[in-house]
Amino acid sequence: MALSFREKYSFGIGAFGKDIILAYVGVFLMIYFTDVLYLSPAFVGSLFFVARIWDAINDPVMGMIVDNTHNKFGKFRTWISIGTILNAVTFVGMFYTFGLEGKMLYVYISIVYILYGMTYTMLDIPYWAWLPNLTDDPHEREQIGVIPRIFASSSYLIMGIISFHLIYFLNNIFGFTDNAKFGYTAGAILIAIIYITFIAITIFNVKENSSASSNEKINLKHMWTILTQNEHLKSYIGLMLAYQLFNGGYGSFMIYYLKYVAGNQNLFSIYSACQLAEMIGLLIFPFVAKKFGRDTTYKIACLVPVLGLSILGFSALFMPASAVLLAVAMVMMKIGAGLIIGTITVLVADVIDYNQLKFGMRNESIICSAQTFLVKTSGAVCGLMTGLALTFLKYDPTLPQQSTLTITGLRLLVFIPSMIFILISLFIYIKGYKLKGKVLYEVREKVAQLNCKSTHETKTEDKNIILESVNN
């Protein structure tokens, strides 16, 4: 049955809620830690990275827990509800330090940051695992999959545009003119309220078909089998991780680049406004994919940002204060990113279909845990890269003007790592990802055949024959 307009957009608006905190963290957390709390950049980068090592265990296990949840409220809605409340608390906690200083501050930040990552996993995995189950129609999936991505992109757009204006406004309105620390805390509380409200709209307006889920219990061995023996999942992980590193590469250095190289922190609003181009890329994705096919669409989507990064590199080296060059570069990069996100959103549904064919179970939450882990991992790698690079470049947040070494390093780091990562993602898609074309068509046909039969009618031998025919 096709989803109603209300369900489609109620589901999508939840993405705005959960990504508005990611946008807040992405824009402010690193600079809040280094320039407000004066934590060591190397420590911050290392913390981001170490937390992801734990997530390598935590995220798939959380996916298994979600898939093993069976109740009338629905496994997806249950964990989205629990995760949202807990995550909102830890999110605010990162921006409120209870007056702690020295070693105790470092310990507190380490604990609350790790808890923030764990609780975000609780809601992000079931949210994206819910998406492929909203419809079985591949064409409707392409249309529906774009909606939450547009809402998610709009959260980054809005947060980026208001950015430091929000912090300074909240700081000044409550009379804290000498230190921006209060503004960050007040902003986090405001964002947490928006976050909970928007997720609630999804929970209470979108029905979950709990009867579609298998009641068979999933153990650690089965989880490990899925993560290691689903060959299409492994290639999907590779191309998505490379894309996330492309996106986070320039983003991690951008605020430092604009503040110290371009000499104009207000350019961050222009940079963030270009997020609108990503939404345009998402909007045109269904039409581009229909006209050229997903294969060509992904190749175009990767090559357009390469051109944008080339323009950004020219600007960084010769005209860093140019708002025009910054805007042109970012528009190209974001349109390409929108097309990539649209493609990736649909690809994960195909991987889940293949998993059902190979293992007899869809395991949406376990597979989508890889997506959640990759988003956090890319952020951690970029955070580690930023922290270590700033330390190596002798960055000093107490100085109004940075050294020549720091300035030169920021000019290069704002575009070179991202250029490498986007080309890696394209290479993996071309050479490593095989679930496309004829293979994808056959997988869909065989999954449709399996779904037409009841579980008792479908023998393991039949499934193996079907799988062998697809692989051949």
Side-chain angles (χ1 to χ4, degrees):
M1 180 183 293
L3 289 178
S4 66
F5 178 90
R6 178 179 178 178
E7 288 179 305
K8 289 178 182 178
Y9 286 89
S10 292
F11 183 82
I13 205 170
F16 181 95
K18 74 180 196 63
D19 274 40
I20 194 73
I21 66 160
L22 284 185
Y24 195 91
V25 167
V27 172
F28 298 124
L29 191 62
M30 185 74 181
I31 201 163
Y32 171 75
F33 281 169
T34 60
D35 288 27
V36 177
L37 300 184
Y38 295 112
L39 300 179
S40 163
F43 164 79
V44 175
S46 299
L47 172 62
F48 290 173
F49 189 76
V50 169
R52 298 297 78 81
I53 295 176
W54 165 242
D55 284 337
I57 301 172
N58 175 60
D59 287 6
V61 170
M62 189 64 226
M64 183 183 69
I65 292 172
V66 173
D67 278 338
N68 281 332
T69 299
H70 308 290
N71 56 44
K72 292 182 179 180
F73 192 59
K75 63 181 181 181
F76 302 130
R77 294 200 296 176
T78 296
W79 285 106
I80 291 173
S81 301
I82 295 171
T84 297
I85 299 299
L86 295 178
N87 188 241
V89 173
T90 56
F91 165 67
V92 174
M94 289 194 297
F95 293 92
Y96 185 73
T97 59
F98 299 94
L100 296 173
E101 297 179 348
K103 291 183 180 179
M104 289 305 298
L105 177 60
Y106 277 83
V107 172
Y108 169 78
I109 289 297
S110 299
I111 293 173
V112 75
Y113 178 75
I114 291 174
L115 289 175
Y116 162 77
M118 291 177 64
T119 53
Y120 187 80
T121 293
M122 287 184 183
L123 75 113
D124 193 59
I125 288 174
Y127 180 86
W128 291 115
W130 195 356
L131 178 59
N133 285 272
L134 294 175
T135 178
D136 295 326
D137 186 337
H139 297 295
E140 191 176 18
R141 276 180 181 173
E142 291 182 356
Q143 297 171 353
I144 295 174
V146 166
I147 295 173
R149 295 297 186 179
I150 291 175
F151 275 104
S153 293
S154 67
S155 69
Y156 286 91
L157 171 65
I158 293 171
M159 183 53 60
I161 291 176
I162 62 176
S163 59
F164 293 96
H165 302 296
L166 172 67
I167 303 303
Y168 297 142
F169 171 77
L170 292 172
N171 219 52
N172 292 333
I173 200 172
F174 288 99
F176 293 86
T177 56
D178 57 335
N179 191 331
K181 189 174 182 180
F182 177 84
Y184 285 101
T185 304
I189 294 172
L190 175 62
I191 295 302
I193 294 171
I194 296 172
Y195 171 33
I196 294 172
T197 302
F198 280 45
I199 288 292
I201 293 173
T202 298
I203 295 298
F204 292 110
N205 286 283
V206 183
K207 297 177 182 177
E208 180 179 337
N209 183 13
S210 57
S211 63
S213 301
S214 170
N215 289 324
E216 184 177 344
K217 286 290 182 180
I218 300 166
N219 55 33
L220 290 173
K221 181 179 179 181
H222 180 78
M223 179 190 73
W224 178 251
T225 300
I226 293 168
L227 294 175
T228 57
Q229 296 186 22
N230 186 331
E231 60 273 23
H232 298 305
L233 175 60
K234 289 188 284 187
S235 54
Y236 170 82
I237 287 173
L239 68 90
M240 183 176 177
L241 177 59
Y243 161 71
Q244 292 290 348
L245 290 172
F246 145 76
N247 212 31
Y250 66 82
S252 297
F253 291 104
M254 187 58 71
I255 186 61
Y256 297 98
Y257 166 78
L258 294 177
K259 184 176 181 179
Y260 296 108
V261 180
N264 185 0
Q265 189 169 292
N266 291 328
L267 286 175
F268 193 81
S269 294
I270 296 176
Y271 158 78
S272 299
C274 294
Q275 185 72 23
L276 182 62
E278 181 174 293
M279 297 168 66
I280 293 172
L282 282 163
L283 284 170
I284 66 175
F285 165 72
F287 305 101
V288 176
K290 183 177 181 180
K291 182 175 179 60
F292 298 105
R294 288 189 209 165
D295 192 47
T296 302
T297 297
Y298 197 82
K299 293 173 184 177
I300 294 173
C302 290
L303 292 176
V304 171
V306 168
L307 184 55
L309 284 166
S310 301
I311 295 172
L312 179 62
F314 175 84
S315 175
L317 295 174
F318 303 106
M319 301 174 65
S322 173
V324 174
L325 287 179
L326 175 66
V328 171
M330 291 311 306
V331 165
M332 297 185 73
M333 291 158 63
K334 290 297 184 180
I335 287 178
L339 293 172
I340 292 173
I341 292 170
T343 307
I344 285 176
T345 302
V346 178
L347 293 184
V348 73
D350 296 333
V351 173
I352 290 170
D353 283 345
Y354 177 77
N355 195 80
Q356 180 185 0
L357 181 62
K358 184 163 186 173
F359 300 107
M361 300 175 69
R362 292 180 64 79
N363 302 124
E364 307 95 336
S365 298
I366 293 177
I367 291 173
C368 287
S369 72
Q371 175 174 282
T372 301
F373 174 66
L374 291 175
V375 170
K376 293 192 290 186
T377 298
S378 63
V381 171
C382 291
L384 177 64
M385 181 172 62
T386 304
L388 295 179
L390 292 176
T391 302
F392 175 79
L393 296 173
K394 310 298 183 184
Y395 169 74
D396 187 345
T398 63
L399 297 177
Q401 181 64 38
Q402 299 298 318
S403 68
T404 302
L405 173 64
T406 305
I407 297 297
T408 302
L410 290 173
R411 289 178 190 270
L412 299 175
L413 289 169
V414 79
F415 75 97
I416 291 179
S418 290
M419 181 78 79
I420 295 171
F421 289 132
I422 194 63
L423 291 174
I424 291 175
S425 182
L426 178 60
F427 177 81
I428 293 173
Y429 180 79
I430 294 174
K431 296 295 184 180
Y433 188 76
K434 304 299 183 183
L435 193 53
K436 50 191 176 184
K438 183 180 179 181
V439 173
L440 177 59
Y441 176 80
E442 292 182 353
V443 166
R444 286 177 177 170
E445 288 292 308
K446 301 305 180 183
V447 168
Q449 292 177 24
L450 290 176
N451 289 337
C452 287
K453 301 178 181 180
S454 67
T455 304
H456 299 291
E457 292 175 333
T458 305
K459 299 179 181 179
T460 302
E461 182 179 353
D462 295 334
K463 292 177 182 178
N464 290 335
I465 293 173
I466 291 172
L467 178 60
E468 184 178 354
S469 69
V470 170
N471 288 335
N472 291 335

